[in-house]
Amino acid sequence: MEGNDAETVNTETTPTTSRRGRKRSMVWEHFTVETVSGGCTRACCKLCKQTFAYSNGSKVAGTSHLKRHIALGSCPNIKNMERQQLALASGMKSNGDTTDLPKKRYRTSSFGSTFDQEQSCTSLAKMIIVNEYPLHMVEHPAFLSFVQSVQPRFNMVDVNVMECEVLSVYHKERLNLMQVFENMPGRISLTIGLWTTSQTLGYICLSGQCIDNDWKLHRRMLNFMMVTSPHSENALSEAIAVSLSDWNMKTKLFTITLDNNCSSHDIYSANLRDHLSNKNTLMLKGQLFVVRCYANILNVIAQDVIASIHGIVYNIRESVKFVKASPAREHKFSEIALQIEIPSMKALSLDVTTLWNTTFLMLDAALEYKEAFTFLETCDDNYNEAPSADDWKQVDVVCTLLKLLYDSANTVMGTIDQTANIYFQEAWKILLELTNATMSEDPMMSSIAKEMHEKFDKYWKDCSLVLALAVVMDPRFKLKLVEFSFSKLYGEDSVGYVKLVNDSLHELYMEYVAQPLPLTPAYMDQGGEANHMNGDNNNPHIGDGLLDFDIYLSEIEVNQSTKSELDQYLEEALVPRTQGFEILNWWKLNSLKYPTLSKMARDVLAIPVSIVGTGCSFFGSGTGTRVLDEYRSSLRPETVEALFCARDWLQHLPIMTELPSTALVKMEF
């Protein structure tokens, strides 16, 4: 009978080793074959002496069940030996036998089939970068022990070598990103972040945002540069000029979004315009050049409002601490709330003082239980932090106004693509509500609202034109929403404000008209599809010998008094406001219909109205001047830049989200 495991053996020794019938499976290192009655044979484990069916006449059971007995630890003797080996490895004494463990042969995926010292060093550097580990972790004894247990052949490098490896990763990814930016069809908008250190030095963080050929929004960190005086008038303009030169973007700058406090904004704006307008062609005479961060203004206003009642906030925080100090107190407080029939379902929570949204939620929940806190003070001698009736009234007013900012921030954060069009509706609603609140008959409401309105109105005056132009590029709103909102804000004076937006819109459009476009929009490069279909990857024209005809058509279009793309777009009916509408996909589908206007829309929608990117919080973190920790402050500036920038870049690579598996895919004996 042919086959590796098919012959019948009449001995208790390992089956025959003849060349034709040799049993090649490694399982026979651990089993013998015994003959039983009826011409049947059974496989007997050499270690535990258990027997398993092997053959019955002409039928052979195979070896899979025998492999499982050895490989999965079913054999009790193997379990004992594994325990003994673990005990020896951990320095414990064992009196058991020292029988060798069965040899296992594993086949891994191709990724882990060979060891590469250089590749392993690169992977280690990327791990340190992405997870923000300290460079000197390569010298930690515990980490060294772990690496040796996983791969003894890996020769661990020292801190200096790992720093060089990090810089190598940075330079490689930077070259890749430069190629990506070179192929971007539109302009680049920048965001500026300020970082300080415990020393007198500081850092300026620059990120670029744009929309690619496939109408996908991208934001990438460009530089993390050390400056001696980050708040000086020239620091920003010089850093931006260096960054634009390094990335070959001198002629592609569109807008700059600043992350700074309100008082220094005017200095930065004037300085940046004067310094850069001489070296760059700014669109719309620089009227859109400087944009203020939307998240920053929300945080500044919210934190100022909370600070205005800091004493009351402290009392409420201490009150919540008192209640949550023990389960018994929480139970007692719940009984009080039930007894006086408080309907609230909100749970008391403590805040994180650096995140104003948590303070708002703490105040908002505590406000629902104000009567319970007052009652608790009368029946518990240990509690004497209950706010007064006037205190609760102030909290009520503050929570009403803070909710406007809180809801707006959550709306923006809930949007997948934070294109510039989403901010206009949020900003004008806040301004309208604050304007109405300033006229409230409640003096407390009016007083707090006036302070908030003053700050937000300054933001609105600086940025309303940018926000309005962006929302016009939304086919669901166009100029109609601008007209509607301005009528609410300005009444009879709204006509003049709408005209300003309309004139700026057409002026900006004419600047894009002056830029060269392919003579025949039908042959424009749309992600390479048009050229591929035409069989020519170098020339957008089909080479049919009708170039003169194309010129003739172009001259006719110029001479004829036809409506512009912009006017056609504005006069068409609004797109329905359906759930799941994707503005970038709409422009992608309509870019052939509006070849010039779509270029303008691409740049306008890519303006980063907030320095906080998608997936990040608006509430405090990352929206003001940040402080570099002591460890990173001690590193060389070029290393700090490499760590920050490479971390941002690597997070967008597929390998960082889908690491290749090195799991065992098959076991053989």
Side-chain angles (χ1 to χ4, degrees):
M1 183 179 298
E2 297 182 358
N4 289 342
D5 303 327
E7 60 273 4
T8 303
V9 180
N10 297 319
T11 176
E12 295 184 4
T13 61
T14 303
T16 179
T17 58
S18 66
R19 184 164 186 173
R20 177 176 178 82
R22 181 182 299 124
K23 293 182 178 298
R24 296 185 177 88
S25 177
M26 291 179 66
V27 74
W28 297 114
E29 293 180 13
H30 310 288
F31 287 91
T32 59
V33 176
E34 300 176 349
T35 302
V36 295
S37 60
C40 301
T41 60
R42 294 183 66 83
C44 178
C45 177
K46 294 180 180 179
L47 297 175
C48 67
K49 303 305 180 182
Q50 292 186 51
T51 62
F52 301 86
Y54 179 58
S55 67
N56 182 7
S58 60
K59 296 182 179 180
V60 179
T63 60
S64 297
H65 58 311
L66 307 182
K67 294 176 183 179
R68 288 193 293 269
H69 177 70
I70 298 297
L72 301 183
S74 300
C75 180
N77 286 25
I78 290 180
K79 289 183 178 180
N80 290 334
M81 286 186 292
E82 288 178 345
R83 282 195 292 268
Q84 293 169 13
Q85 191 176 54
L86 289 174
L88 290 173
S90 60
M92 297 174 60
K93 294 182 179 180
S94 175
N95 296 323
D97 297 331
T98 57
T99 308
D100 291 337
L101 289 175
K103 298 178 181 179
K104 300 178 183 179
R105 188 173 65 199
Y106 301 96
R107 188 173 69 206
T108 61
S109 64
S110 59
F111 177 81
S113 59
T114 58
F115 170 70
D116 188 326
Q117 172 74 20
E118 184 177 348
Q119 180 60 44
S120 296
C121 283
T122 302
S123 298
L124 177 57
K126 290 181 179 180
M127 182 190 75
I128 289 175
I129 292 170
V130 172
N131 294 285
E132 300 183 281
Y133 295 143
L135 293 175
H136 56 261
M137 74 173 293
V138 296
E139 297 179 351
H140 291 177
F143 182 67
L144 290 172
S145 177
F146 167 73
V147 172
Q148 286 298 307
S149 69
V150 174
Q151 178 51 269
R153 296 168 60 191
F154 181 71
N155 183 23
M156 182 57 71
V157 298
D158 60 22
V159 173
N160 294 329
V161 174
M162 183 48 58
E163 185 177 14
C164 293
E165 194 68 41
V166 167
L167 291 171
S168 176
V169 171
Y170 161 75
H171 288 299
K172 179 181 178 181
E173 296 302 329
R174 188 177 187 276
L175 288 175
N176 293 336
L177 189 58
M178 284 192 72
Q179 294 179 357
V180 172
F181 277 125
E182 286 177 0
N183 295 324
M184 288 293 178
R187 287 177 169 253
I188 303 292
S189 289
L190 299 180
T191 66
I192 311 296
L194 301 180
W195 290 71
T196 61
T197 68
S198 57
Q199 307 159 348
T200 58
L201 303 176
Y203 284 85
I204 293 178
C205 175
L206 296 94
S207 297
Q209 183 159 298
C210 55
I211 296 174
D212 65 15
N213 280 301
D214 199 38
W215 287 87
K216 302 295 182 183
L217 185 67
H218 300 277
R219 180 184 294 190
R220 298 290 187 274
M221 190 178 293
L222 302 179
N223 293 95
F224 198 87
M225 306 169 61
M226 189 191 76
V227 291
T228 54
S229 302
H231 293 278
S232 68
E233 294 186 17
N234 296 323
L236 279 182
S237 55
E238 291 176 357
I240 293 171
V242 169
S243 181
L244 292 176
S245 177
D246 288 347
W247 289 88
N248 299 323
M249 296 179 182
K250 289 183 177 181
T251 60
K252 301 186 71 174
L253 180 61
F254 191 55
T255 66
I256 296 179
T257 302
L258 293 176
D259 171 17
N260 61 297
N261 56 56
C262 297
S263 61
S264 62
H265 168 67
D266 292 336
I267 297 175
Y268 285 143
S269 299
N271 180 265
L272 287 174
R273 279 197 185 94
D274 294 342
H275 183 87
L276 293 174
S277 60
N278 297 326
K279 301 179 180 180
N280 298 272
T281 304
L282 300 181
M283 306 296 290
L284 204 59
K285 300 176 182 177
Q287 295 182 65
L288 310 178
F289 181 54
V290 175
V291 181
R292 292 179 63 199
C293 174
Y294 185 73
N296 184 247
I297 190 62
L298 295 188
N299 289 340
V300 168
I301 294 175
Q303 290 165 0
D304 287 349
V305 171
I306 292 173
S308 69
I309 59 166
H310 66 277
I312 301 174
V313 173
Y314 174 82
N315 283 346
I316 293 177
R317 186 181 294 123
E318 292 301 311
S319 297
V320 175
K321 284 182 182 178
F322 180 85
V323 171
K324 298 179 74 66
S326 69
R329 287 181 181 176
E330 285 191 275
H331 179 69
K332 181 179 181 180
F333 190 79
S334 298
E335 288 184 338
I336 292 174
L338 186 63
Q339 180 182 344
I340 60 180
E341 298 180 348
I342 295 178
S344 177
M345 298 297 292
K346 296 178 181 177
L348 293 178
S349 62
L350 285 170
D351 65 333
V352 178
T353 56
T354 56
L355 301 175
W356 68 264
N357 63 311
T358 62
T359 303
F360 162 71
L361 293 174
M362 179 185 71
L363 298 176
D364 192 48
L367 185 62
E368 300 284 340
Y369 295 95
K370 61 181 179 179
E371 295 178 2
F373 282 111
T374 302
F375 189 91
L376 180 64
E377 192 173 37
T378 63
C379 63
D380 193 329
D381 294 336
N382 295 318
Y383 174 63
N384 55 8
E385 301 284 350
S388 65
D390 288 339
D391 291 342
W392 285 119
K393 184 178 180 181
Q394 289 189 60
V395 172
D396 189 14
V397 171
V398 166
C399 285
T400 300
L401 296 174
L402 284 180
K403 191 175 188 302
L404 298 174
L405 313 182
Y406 178 79
D407 289 344
S408 181
N410 278 321
T411 298
V412 173
M413 289 191 299
T415 306
I416 297 177
D417 286 324
Q418 292 177 12
T419 45
N421 59 296
I422 66 175
Y423 293 90
F424 179 84
Q425 186 175 0
E426 297 302 317
W428 84 264
K429 285 191 301 183
I430 289 179
L431 184 62
L432 179 63
E433 292 294 336
L434 291 177
T435 301
N436 294 336
T438 59
M439 297 180 287
S440 171
E441 296 181 357
D442 182 350
M444 189 178 299
M445 171 70 77
S446 175
S447 176
I448 297 177
K450 284 179 180 177
E451 294 182 5
M452 297 176 67
H453 182 273
E454 181 180 354
K455 296 182 179 69
F456 198 83
D457 186 56
K458 187 178 188 307
Y459 170 83
W460 176 259
K461 289 176 180 177
D462 288 340
C463 299
S464 59
L465 179 59
V466 172
L467 302 182
L469 292 179
V471 82
V472 172
M473 294 296 98
D474 190 329
R476 299 169 297 175
F477 301 114
K478 302 182 182 179
L479 265 175
K480 300 300 181 182
L481 183 59
V482 175
E483 295 168 354
F484 172 78
S485 59
F486 281 9
S487 67
K488 296 286 186 180
L489 291 173
Y490 305 117
E492 295 179 355
D493 297 332
S494 64
V495 176
Y497 289 98
V498 173
K499 184 177 185 301
L500 175 63
V501 174
N502 189 47
D503 291 346
S504 300
L505 182 68
H506 282 79
E507 183 180 348
L508 180 62
Y509 171 73
M510 292 309 298
E511 293 187 29
Y512 280 88
V513 170
Q515 298 175 10
L517 271 179
L519 294 175
T520 51
Y523 302 129
M524 288 179 63
D525 182 11
Q526 298 294 325
E529 294 180 5
N531 290 339
H532 177 72
M533 293 176 63
N534 294 330
D536 186 353
N537 292 324
N538 299 316
N539 193 334
H541 301 287
I542 58 176
D544 55 6
L546 294 177
L547 180 60
D548 291 342
F549 177 64
D550 292 332
I551 297 175
Y552 168 73
L553 292 178
S554 178
E555 291 174 349
I556 291 179
E557 292 178 0
V558 172
N559 294 329
Q560 288 180 341
S561 58
T562 56
K563 292 182 179 179
S564 67
E565 290 177 24
L566 176 59
D567 290 331
Q568 292 179 40
Y569 167 78
L570 295 176
E571 291 178 7
E572 287 182 353
L574 299 180
V575 173
R577 300 194 307 276
T578 56
Q579 187 175 6
F581 174 80
E582 296 181 3
I583 187 171
L584 296 182
N585 188 55
W586 188 91
W587 277 106
K588 178 181 179 181
L589 296 175
N590 287 272
S591 57
L592 288 179
K593 181 178 180 181
Y594 303 113
T596 300
L597 187 60
S598 63
K599 290 179 62 178
M600 174 175 151
R602 186 195 304 272
D603 292 341
V604 171
L605 293 175
I607 296 175
V609 178
S610 169
I611 61 122
V612 180
T614 303
C616 299
S617 174
F618 262 52
F619 305 109
S621 177
T623 58
T625 301
R626 286 147 287 179
V627 180
L628 208 63
D629 60 49
E630 292 294 333
Y631 167 68
R632 295 187 185 276
S633 298
S634 67
L635 298 175
R636 294 187 303 162
E638 55 267 32
T639 303
V640 175
E641 181 171 42
L643 289 170
F644 272 86
C645 291
R647 181 177 185 271
D648 178 75
W649 304 337
L650 290 174
Q651 290 182 82
H652 297 92
L653 298 181
I655 191 172
M656 288 295 110
T657 55
E658 294 184 19
L659 289 173
S661 174
T662 57
L664 299 176
V665 294
K666 188 176 181 181
M667 242 181 336
E668 293 181 351
F669 291 87

